[in-house]
Amino acid sequence: MVYEFYIFNNVGNCLFYLNLRGTTPEKNPQDKQKLIFGMMHTMKSMCRKFSPQPISVSPFTSYVTDAYKLHILETSSGLNFVMFTHPDMMDQTHSLKWIYSTIYCTFVIRNPFYEPKKPITSVVFKQKLEEYLLTLAR
Amino acid sequence: MLTQIVIPDITYNLLINEIIKYSVCTDPNLSLLESLKNLTKEDLQDKRQAMKEMGISVGERIIGFIVKEHVWTKEPNSLMRFICKELWMYLFGRYIGRLQANNKGVYIMYDYKFHWFQGLDLSESIDRENFEKFCSLALSWVCGVLKGAFKGLGKESSIEAGVEENNSCRFTITLKLG
């Protein structure tokens, strides 16, 4: 059960936001997005520093609370895919990778009307992503 | 014989997109969508012709490249099969889906895996007209390649293309017999 889906770039701009919960939309999604980005950035650098061997890429992939589980995938191109799900969900790294390689690459990179660093407005991208996320039931 | 190589066409799909953007966006302050909205019918026709001529130039040269490995044939049906297999293999790394002939020089080719327009929502959208303008410009290039290929093989032709649902494209080729 996926609750929300965000795509951030490495500067902190939220390129895409999808709410699958069906609740009323928030008045100021930008505030929440900034919070999420800040928290994600801190977690990534903290995890990297605590690692027993020195590594360059952050090993942070998810954290779980009683209310939700947060999954994150960071790509080499600086994109961060963040997903809020039900706390019992398994590790979703493989599905985030699939979203990147299939849905994002097809509907964003092949779209000549997409401008990098700007929010993604493609309707077909949102449809295909929503279809896929609704199949992630476990 | 050409060995089976998988050629991802993403690179020159993106390059063709940039060529179209370069040709359409005369004002740097307007986005691609707005520039397409402002195109008059004559402008669109001119730009389609320019893309077609680019394609003709490529088609003539590429056919010179391909026929060095293949036997020359004048029979139109085997010529069409040659185009469907060898030319498409050179361009896209695969065979075209289906070929229909009516024995009067009109052929229809269907390509079911034409992924260039996957990123565009052609079903229902306010901007559908502008997306279709963009598709027609890209397809003009492919039509030009086909026309140039036929020219290189000594045949006059007229080619039209249309994009259908589910990433498939239809090319209608009329060959002048004789």
Side-chain angles (χ1 to χ4, degrees), chain B residues 123-153:
Chain B
S123 50
E124 287 157 25
S125 172
I126 336 165
D127 296 319
R128 186 191 172 159
E129 212 187 294
N130 299 308
F131 292 164
E132 283 181 351
K133 284 185 194 171
F134 189 90
C135 293
S136 71
L137 286 166
L139 284 177
S140 300
W141 184 81
V142 184
C143 291
V145 174
L146 283 168
K147 187 164 180 154
F150 284 114
K151 205 166 157 188
L153 291 168

PDB file of all heavy atoms in Angstrom, chain B residues 123-153:
ATOM      1  N   SER B 123      -3.580  10.466 -26.335  1.00  0.00           N
ATOM      2  CA  SER B 123      -4.968  10.018 -26.245  1.00  0.00           C
ATOM      3  C   SER B 123      -5.912  11.194 -26.023  1.00  0.00           C
ATOM      4  O   SER B 123      -6.580  11.634 -26.925  1.00  0.00           O
ATOM      5  CB  SER B 123      -5.117   8.985 -25.141  1.00  0.00           C
ATOM      6  OG  SER B 123      -4.525   9.478 -23.971  1.00  0.00           O
ATOM      7  N   GLU B 124      -5.911  11.732 -24.814  1.00  0.00           N
ATOM      8  CA  GLU B 124      -6.807  12.877 -24.615  1.00  0.00           C
ATOM      9  C   GLU B 124      -6.042  13.925 -23.871  1.00  0.00           C
ATOM     10  O   GLU B 124      -5.613  13.697 -22.770  1.00  0.00           O
ATOM     11  CB  GLU B 124      -7.971  12.517 -23.707  1.00  0.00           C
ATOM     12  CG  GLU B 124      -8.993  11.637 -24.352  1.00  0.00           C
ATOM     13  CD  GLU B 124      -9.756  10.900 -23.272  1.00  0.00           C
ATOM     14  OE1 GLU B 124      -9.819  11.410 -22.138  1.00  0.00           O
ATOM     15  OE2 GLU B 124     -10.255   9.812 -23.571  1.00  0.00           O
ATOM     16  N   SER B 125      -5.855  15.038 -24.472  1.00  0.00           N
ATOM     17  CA  SER B 125      -5.064  16.049 -23.800  1.00  0.00           C
ATOM     18  C   SER B 125      -5.377  17.373 -24.460  1.00  0.00           C
ATOM     19  O   SER B 125      -5.692  17.417 -25.647  1.00  0.00           O
ATOM     20  CB  SER B 125      -3.600  15.682 -23.985  1.00  0.00           C
ATOM     21  OG  SER B 125      -2.788  16.699 -23.522  1.00  0.00           O
ATOM     22  N   ILE B 126      -5.281  18.452 -23.700  1.00  0.00           N
ATOM     23  CA  ILE B 126      -5.578  19.765 -24.281  1.00  0.00           C
ATOM     24  C   ILE B 126      -4.544  20.077 -25.342  1.00  0.00           C
ATOM     25  O   ILE B 126      -4.807  20.742 -26.316  1.00  0.00           O
ATOM     26  CB  ILE B 126      -5.500  20.887 -23.219  1.00  0.00           C
ATOM     27  CG1 ILE B 126      -5.727  20.329 -21.836  1.00  0.00           C
ATOM     28  CG2 ILE B 126      -6.451  22.001 -23.551  1.00  0.00           C
ATOM     29  CD1 ILE B 126      -5.319  21.251 -20.730  1.00  0.00           C
ATOM     30  N   ASP B 127      -3.314  19.581 -25.110  1.00  0.00           N
ATOM     31  CA  ASP B 127      -2.237  19.932 -26.023  1.00  0.00           C
ATOM     32  C   ASP B 127      -2.086  18.929 -27.147  1.00  0.00           C
ATOM     33  O   ASP B 127      -1.075  18.889 -27.813  1.00  0.00           O
ATOM     34  CB  ASP B 127      -0.908  19.984 -25.246  1.00  0.00           C
ATOM     35  CG  ASP B 127      -0.931  21.075 -24.202  1.00  0.00           C
ATOM     36  OD1 ASP B 127      -1.458  22.161 -24.521  1.00  0.00           O
ATOM     37  OD2 ASP B 127      -0.423  20.855 -23.102  1.00  0.00           O
ATOM     38  N   ARG B 128      -3.093  18.078 -27.339  1.00  0.00           N
ATOM     39  CA  ARG B 128      -2.963  17.004 -28.297  1.00  0.00           C
ATOM     40  C   ARG B 128      -2.596  17.481 -29.694  1.00  0.00           C
ATOM     41  O   ARG B 128      -1.751  16.906 -30.366  1.00  0.00           O
ATOM     42  CB  ARG B 128      -4.287  16.251 -28.366  1.00  0.00           C
ATOM     43  CG  ARG B 128      -4.152  15.052 -29.237  1.00  0.00           C
ATOM     44  CD  ARG B 128      -5.456  14.435 -29.554  1.00  0.00           C
ATOM     45  NE  ARG B 128      -5.231  13.421 -30.547  1.00  0.00           N
ATOM     46  CZ  ARG B 128      -6.042  12.431 -30.773  1.00  0.00           C
ATOM     47  NH1 ARG B 128      -7.146  12.341 -30.063  1.00  0.00           N
ATOM     48  NH2 ARG B 128      -5.780  11.553 -31.696  1.00  0.00           N
ATOM     49  N   GLU B 129      -3.214  18.604 -30.104  1.00  0.00           N
ATOM     50  CA  GLU B 129      -2.933  19.133 -31.451  1.00  0.00           C
ATOM     51  C   GLU B 129      -1.461  19.461 -31.608  1.00  0.00           C
ATOM     52  O   GLU B 129      -0.852  19.195 -32.641  1.00  0.00           O
ATOM     53  CB  GLU B 129      -3.753  20.400 -31.625  1.00  0.00           C
ATOM     54  CG  GLU B 129      -4.213  20.664 -33.016  1.00  0.00           C
ATOM     55  CD  GLU B 129      -4.865  22.016 -33.084  1.00  0.00           C
ATOM     56  OE1 GLU B 129      -5.930  22.175 -32.462  1.00  0.00           O
ATOM     57  OE2 GLU B 129      -4.280  22.911 -33.722  1.00  0.00           O
ATOM     58  N   ASN B 130      -0.877  20.066 -30.559  1.00  0.00           N
ATOM     59  CA  ASN B 130       0.528  20.449 -30.641  1.00  0.00           C
ATOM     60  C   ASN B 130       1.442  19.242 -30.593  1.00  0.00           C
ATOM     61  O   ASN B 130       2.477  19.202 -31.255  1.00  0.00           O
ATOM     62  CB  ASN B 130       0.866  21.417 -29.504  1.00  0.00           C
ATOM     63  CG  ASN B 130       0.033  22.663 -29.603  1.00  0.00           C
ATOM     64  OD1 ASN B 130      -0.005  23.295 -30.645  1.00  0.00           O
ATOM     65  ND2 ASN B 130      -0.662  23.001 -28.535  1.00  0.00           N
ATOM     66  N   PHE B 131       1.046  18.213 -29.818  1.00  0.00           N
ATOM     67  CA  PHE B 131       1.829  16.985 -29.810  1.00  0.00           C
ATOM     68  C   PHE B 131       1.808  16.369 -31.202  1.00  0.00           C
ATOM     69  O   PHE B 131       2.821  15.871 -31.693  1.00  0.00           O
ATOM     70  CB  PHE B 131       1.261  15.971 -28.806  1.00  0.00           C
ATOM     71  CG  PHE B 131       1.419  16.380 -27.368  1.00  0.00           C
ATOM     72  CD1 PHE B 131       0.676  15.745 -26.382  1.00  0.00           C
ATOM     73  CD2 PHE B 131       2.283  17.385 -26.984  1.00  0.00           C
ATOM     74  CE1 PHE B 131       0.816  16.097 -25.056  1.00  0.00           C
ATOM     75  CE2 PHE B 131       2.418  17.752 -25.661  1.00  0.00           C
ATOM     76  CZ  PHE B 131       1.681  17.096 -24.690  1.00  0.00           C
ATOM     77  N   GLU B 132       0.632  16.419 -31.845  1.00  0.00           N
ATOM     78  CA  GLU B 132       0.542  15.825 -33.181  1.00  0.00           C
ATOM     79  C   GLU B 132       1.389  16.586 -34.185  1.00  0.00           C
ATOM     80  O   GLU B 132       1.955  15.997 -35.099  1.00  0.00           O
ATOM     81  CB  GLU B 132      -0.913  15.742 -33.636  1.00  0.00           C
ATOM     82  CG  GLU B 132      -1.614  14.597 -32.954  1.00  0.00           C
ATOM     83  CD  GLU B 132      -3.055  14.428 -33.366  1.00  0.00           C
ATOM     84  OE1 GLU B 132      -3.577  15.312 -34.063  1.00  0.00           O
ATOM     85  OE2 GLU B 132      -3.630  13.411 -32.997  1.00  0.00           O
ATOM     86  N   LYS B 133       1.480  17.930 -34.008  1.00  0.00           N
ATOM     87  CA  LYS B 133       2.357  18.703 -34.899  1.00  0.00           C
ATOM     88  C   LYS B 133       3.785  18.208 -34.745  1.00  0.00           C
ATOM     89  O   LYS B 133       4.512  18.030 -35.723  1.00  0.00           O
ATOM     90  CB  LYS B 133       2.322  20.189 -34.529  1.00  0.00           C
ATOM     91  CG  LYS B 133       1.085  20.924 -34.975  1.00  0.00           C
ATOM     92  CD  LYS B 133       1.217  22.410 -34.649  1.00  0.00           C
ATOM     93  CE  LYS B 133      -0.112  23.112 -34.774  1.00  0.00           C
ATOM     94  NZ  LYS B 133      -0.081  24.492 -34.281  1.00  0.00           N
ATOM     95  N   PHE B 134       4.192  17.991 -33.484  1.00  0.00           N
ATOM     96  CA  PHE B 134       5.549  17.535 -33.228  1.00  0.00           C
ATOM     97  C   PHE B 134       5.789  16.177 -33.873  1.00  0.00           C
ATOM     98  O   PHE B 134       6.805  15.956 -34.530  1.00  0.00           O
ATOM     99  CB  PHE B 134       5.784  17.455 -31.715  1.00  0.00           C
ATOM    100  CG  PHE B 134       7.206  17.199 -31.360  1.00  0.00           C
ATOM    101  CD1 PHE B 134       8.082  18.254 -31.166  1.00  0.00           C
ATOM    102  CD2 PHE B 134       7.683  15.914 -31.253  1.00  0.00           C
ATOM    103  CE1 PHE B 134       9.402  18.032 -30.859  1.00  0.00           C
ATOM    104  CE2 PHE B 134       9.002  15.680 -30.949  1.00  0.00           C
ATOM    105  CZ  PHE B 134       9.865  16.738 -30.757  1.00  0.00           C
ATOM    106  N   CYS B 135       4.840  15.266 -33.706  1.00  0.00           N
ATOM    107  CA  CYS B 135       4.974  13.926 -34.290  1.00  0.00           C
ATOM    108  C   CYS B 135       5.077  14.011 -35.807  1.00  0.00           C
ATOM    109  O   CYS B 135       5.872  13.286 -36.416  1.00  0.00           O
ATOM    110  CB  CYS B 135       3.775  13.049 -33.949  1.00  0.00           C
ATOM    111  SG  CYS B 135       3.658  12.659 -32.226  1.00  0.00           S
ATOM    112  N   SER B 136       4.282  14.904 -36.411  1.00  0.00           N
ATOM    113  CA  SER B 136       4.305  14.973 -37.875  1.00  0.00           C
ATOM    114  C   SER B 136       5.662  15.455 -38.357  1.00  0.00           C
ATOM    115  O   SER B 136       6.134  15.042 -39.407  1.00  0.00           O
ATOM    116  CB  SER B 136       3.179  15.855 -38.394  1.00  0.00           C
ATOM    117  OG  SER B 136       3.448  17.200 -38.106  1.00  0.00           O
ATOM    118  N   LEU B 137       6.313  16.334 -37.563  1.00  0.00           N
ATOM    119  CA  LEU B 137       7.648  16.790 -37.952  1.00  0.00           C
ATOM    120  C   LEU B 137       8.661  15.656 -37.869  1.00  0.00           C
ATOM    121  O   LEU B 137       9.480  15.460 -38.770  1.00  0.00           O
ATOM    122  CB  LEU B 137       8.099  17.956 -37.057  1.00  0.00           C
ATOM    123  CG  LEU B 137       7.421  19.281 -37.344  1.00  0.00           C
ATOM    124  CD1 LEU B 137       7.666  20.270 -36.221  1.00  0.00           C
ATOM    125  CD2 LEU B 137       7.925  19.863 -38.649  1.00  0.00           C
ATOM    126  N   ALA B 138       8.577  14.864 -36.799  1.00  0.00           N
ATOM    127  CA  ALA B 138       9.532  13.758 -36.661  1.00  0.00           C
ATOM    128  C   ALA B 138       9.297  12.707 -37.734  1.00  0.00           C
ATOM    129  O   ALA B 138      10.245  12.161 -38.305  1.00  0.00           O
ATOM    130  CB  ALA B 138       9.417  13.138 -35.263  1.00  0.00           C
ATOM    131  N   LEU B 139       8.017  12.423 -38.016  1.00  0.00           N
ATOM    132  CA  LEU B 139       7.722  11.420 -39.026  1.00  0.00           C
ATOM    133  C   LEU B 139       8.098  11.891 -40.421  1.00  0.00           C
ATOM    134  O   LEU B 139       8.410  11.074 -41.280  1.00  0.00           O
ATOM    135  CB  LEU B 139       6.248  11.025 -38.981  1.00  0.00           C
ATOM    136  CG  LEU B 139       5.871  10.110 -37.827  1.00  0.00           C
ATOM    137  CD1 LEU B 139       4.391   9.843 -37.829  1.00  0.00           C
ATOM    138  CD2 LEU B 139       6.636   8.812 -37.902  1.00  0.00           C
ATOM    139  N   SER B 140       8.080  13.218 -40.653  1.00  0.00           N
ATOM    140  CA  SER B 140       8.511  13.726 -41.961  1.00  0.00           C
ATOM    141  C   SER B 140       9.943  13.325 -42.235  1.00  0.00           C
ATOM    142  O   SER B 140      10.308  13.041 -43.377  1.00  0.00           O
ATOM    143  CB  SER B 140       8.425  15.255 -42.023  1.00  0.00           C
ATOM    144  OG  SER B 140       7.131  15.671 -41.806  1.00  0.00           O
ATOM    145  N   TRP B 141      10.749  13.312 -41.176  1.00  0.00           N
ATOM    146  CA  TRP B 141      12.149  12.903 -41.351  1.00  0.00           C
ATOM    147  C   TRP B 141      12.223  11.450 -41.800  1.00  0.00           C
ATOM    148  O   TRP B 141      12.933  11.105 -42.748  1.00  0.00           O
ATOM    149  CB  TRP B 141      12.930  13.104 -40.052  1.00  0.00           C
ATOM    150  CG  TRP B 141      14.386  12.797 -40.187  1.00  0.00           C
ATOM    151  CD1 TRP B 141      15.345  13.604 -40.702  1.00  0.00           C
ATOM    152  CD2 TRP B 141      15.036  11.590 -39.818  1.00  0.00           C
ATOM    153  NE1 TRP B 141      16.561  12.973 -40.669  1.00  0.00           N
ATOM    154  CE2 TRP B 141      16.402  11.740 -40.126  1.00  0.00           C
ATOM    155  CE3 TRP B 141      14.602  10.385 -39.251  1.00  0.00           C
ATOM    156  CZ2 TRP B 141      17.341  10.729 -39.890  1.00  0.00           C
ATOM    157  CZ3 TRP B 141      15.535   9.382 -39.014  1.00  0.00           C
ATOM    158  CH2 TRP B 141      16.887   9.564 -39.340  1.00  0.00           C
ATOM    159  N   VAL B 142      11.456  10.575 -41.135  1.00  0.00           N
ATOM    160  CA  VAL B 142      11.495   9.153 -41.480  1.00  0.00           C
ATOM    161  C   VAL B 142      10.970   8.935 -42.903  1.00  0.00           C
ATOM    162  O   VAL B 142      11.521   8.147 -43.666  1.00  0.00           O
ATOM    163  CB  VAL B 142      10.678   8.323 -40.466  1.00  0.00           C
ATOM    164  CG1 VAL B 142      10.793   6.849 -40.774  1.00  0.00           C
ATOM    165  CG2 VAL B 142      11.142   8.590 -39.063  1.00  0.00           C
ATOM    166  N   CYS B 143       9.900   9.690 -43.256  1.00  0.00           N
ATOM    167  CA  CYS B 143       9.376   9.590 -44.627  1.00  0.00           C
ATOM    168  C   CYS B 143      10.444   9.998 -45.624  1.00  0.00           C
ATOM    169  O   CYS B 143      10.586   9.395 -46.688  1.00  0.00           O
ATOM    170  CB  CYS B 143       8.183  10.514 -44.823  1.00  0.00           C
ATOM    171  SG  CYS B 143       6.754   9.991 -43.931  1.00  0.00           S
ATOM    172  N   GLY B 144      11.208  11.036 -45.259  1.00  0.00           N
ATOM    173  CA  GLY B 144      12.284  11.495 -46.133  1.00  0.00           C
ATOM    174  C   GLY B 144      13.326  10.417 -46.323  1.00  0.00           C
ATOM    175  O   GLY B 144      13.817  10.193 -47.437  1.00  0.00           O
ATOM    176  N   VAL B 145      13.662   9.702 -45.227  1.00  0.00           N
ATOM    177  CA  VAL B 145      14.658   8.631 -45.344  1.00  0.00           C
ATOM    178  C   VAL B 145      14.159   7.568 -46.314  1.00  0.00           C
ATOM    179  O   VAL B 145      14.895   7.085 -47.171  1.00  0.00           O
ATOM    180  CB  VAL B 145      14.960   8.012 -43.969  1.00  0.00           C
ATOM    181  CG1 VAL B 145      15.880   6.825 -44.102  1.00  0.00           C
ATOM    182  CG2 VAL B 145      15.593   9.032 -43.060  1.00  0.00           C
ATOM    183  N   LEU B 146      12.882   7.211 -46.184  1.00  0.00           N
ATOM    184  CA  LEU B 146      12.316   6.200 -47.081  1.00  0.00           C
ATOM    185  C   LEU B 146      12.351   6.683 -48.523  1.00  0.00           C
ATOM    186  O   LEU B 146      12.732   5.948 -49.433  1.00  0.00           O
ATOM    187  CB  LEU B 146      10.884   5.876 -46.671  1.00  0.00           C
ATOM    188  CG  LEU B 146      10.753   4.971 -45.446  1.00  0.00           C
ATOM    189  CD1 LEU B 146       9.325   4.954 -44.949  1.00  0.00           C
ATOM    190  CD2 LEU B 146      11.202   3.576 -45.776  1.00  0.00           C
ATOM    191  N   LYS B 147      11.957   7.958 -48.716  1.00  0.00           N
ATOM    192  CA  LYS B 147      11.931   8.502 -50.076  1.00  0.00           C
ATOM    193  C   LYS B 147      13.343   8.514 -50.678  1.00  0.00           C
ATOM    194  O   LYS B 147      13.549   8.162 -51.830  1.00  0.00           O
ATOM    195  CB  LYS B 147      11.354   9.909 -50.043  1.00  0.00           C
ATOM    196  CG  LYS B 147      11.144  10.468 -51.414  1.00  0.00           C
ATOM    197  CD  LYS B 147      10.221  11.674 -51.393  1.00  0.00           C
ATOM    198  CE  LYS B 147      10.061  12.167 -52.821  1.00  0.00           C
ATOM    199  NZ  LYS B 147       8.828  12.870 -53.032  1.00  0.00           N
ATOM    200  N   GLY B 148      14.313   8.909 -49.838  1.00  0.00           N
ATOM    201  CA  GLY B 148      15.695   8.935 -50.312  1.00  0.00           C
ATOM    202  C   GLY B 148      16.196   7.548 -50.630  1.00  0.00           C
ATOM    203  O   GLY B 148      16.926   7.345 -51.609  1.00  0.00           O
ATOM    204  N   ALA B 149      15.760   6.569 -49.833  1.00  0.00           N
ATOM    205  CA  ALA B 149      16.188   5.187 -50.084  1.00  0.00           C
ATOM    206  C   ALA B 149      15.656   4.716 -51.430  1.00  0.00           C
ATOM    207  O   ALA B 149      16.387   4.130 -52.237  1.00  0.00           O
ATOM    208  CB  ALA B 149      15.700   4.278 -48.962  1.00  0.00           C
ATOM    209  N   PHE B 150      14.383   4.994 -51.703  1.00  0.00           N
ATOM    210  CA  PHE B 150      13.816   4.593 -52.991  1.00  0.00           C
ATOM    211  C   PHE B 150      14.499   5.317 -54.134  1.00  0.00           C
ATOM    212  O   PHE B 150      14.744   4.749 -55.195  1.00  0.00           O
ATOM    213  CB  PHE B 150      12.316   4.847 -53.025  1.00  0.00           C
ATOM    214  CG  PHE B 150      11.542   3.828 -52.249  1.00  0.00           C
ATOM    215  CD1 PHE B 150      10.839   4.183 -51.110  1.00  0.00           C
ATOM    216  CD2 PHE B 150      11.544   2.509 -52.642  1.00  0.00           C
ATOM    217  CE1 PHE B 150      10.147   3.239 -50.387  1.00  0.00           C
ATOM    218  CE2 PHE B 150      10.850   1.552 -51.915  1.00  0.00           C
ATOM    219  CZ  PHE B 150      10.152   1.920 -50.786  1.00  0.00           C
ATOM    220  N   LYS B 151      14.802   6.598 -53.904  1.00  0.00           N
ATOM    221  CA  LYS B 151      15.477   7.371 -54.944  1.00  0.00           C
ATOM    222  C   LYS B 151      16.822   6.742 -55.268  1.00  0.00           C
ATOM    223  O   LYS B 151      17.222   6.619 -56.425  1.00  0.00           O
ATOM    224  CB  LYS B 151      15.673   8.792 -54.412  1.00  0.00           C
ATOM    225  CG  LYS B 151      15.796   9.851 -55.458  1.00  0.00           C
ATOM    226  CD  LYS B 151      15.626  11.213 -54.797  1.00  0.00           C
ATOM    227  CE  LYS B 151      16.283  12.293 -55.623  1.00  0.00           C
ATOM    228  NZ  LYS B 151      16.306  13.577 -54.934  1.00  0.00           N
ATOM    229  N   GLY B 152      17.518   6.338 -54.197  1.00  0.00           N
ATOM    230  CA  GLY B 152      18.817   5.704 -54.389  1.00  0.00           C
ATOM    231  C   GLY B 152      18.719   4.388 -55.125  1.00  0.00           C
ATOM    232  O   GLY B 152      19.645   3.976 -55.809  1.00  0.00           O
ATOM    233  N   LEU B 153      17.568   3.715 -54.998  1.00  0.00           N
ATOM    234  CA  LEU B 153      17.382   2.466 -55.706  1.00  0.00           C
ATOM    235  C   LEU B 153      16.742   2.680 -57.063  1.00  0.00           C
ATOM    236  O   LEU B 153      16.401   1.728 -57.749  1.00  0.00           O
ATOM    237  CB  LEU B 153      16.501   1.523 -54.870  1.00  0.00           C
ATOM    238  CG  LEU B 153      17.151   1.003 -53.591  1.00  0.00           C
ATOM    239  CD1 LEU B 153      16.131   0.334 -52.712  1.00  0.00           C
ATOM    240  CD2 LEU B 153      18.268   0.043 -53.924  1.00  0.00           C
TER     241      LEU B 153
END
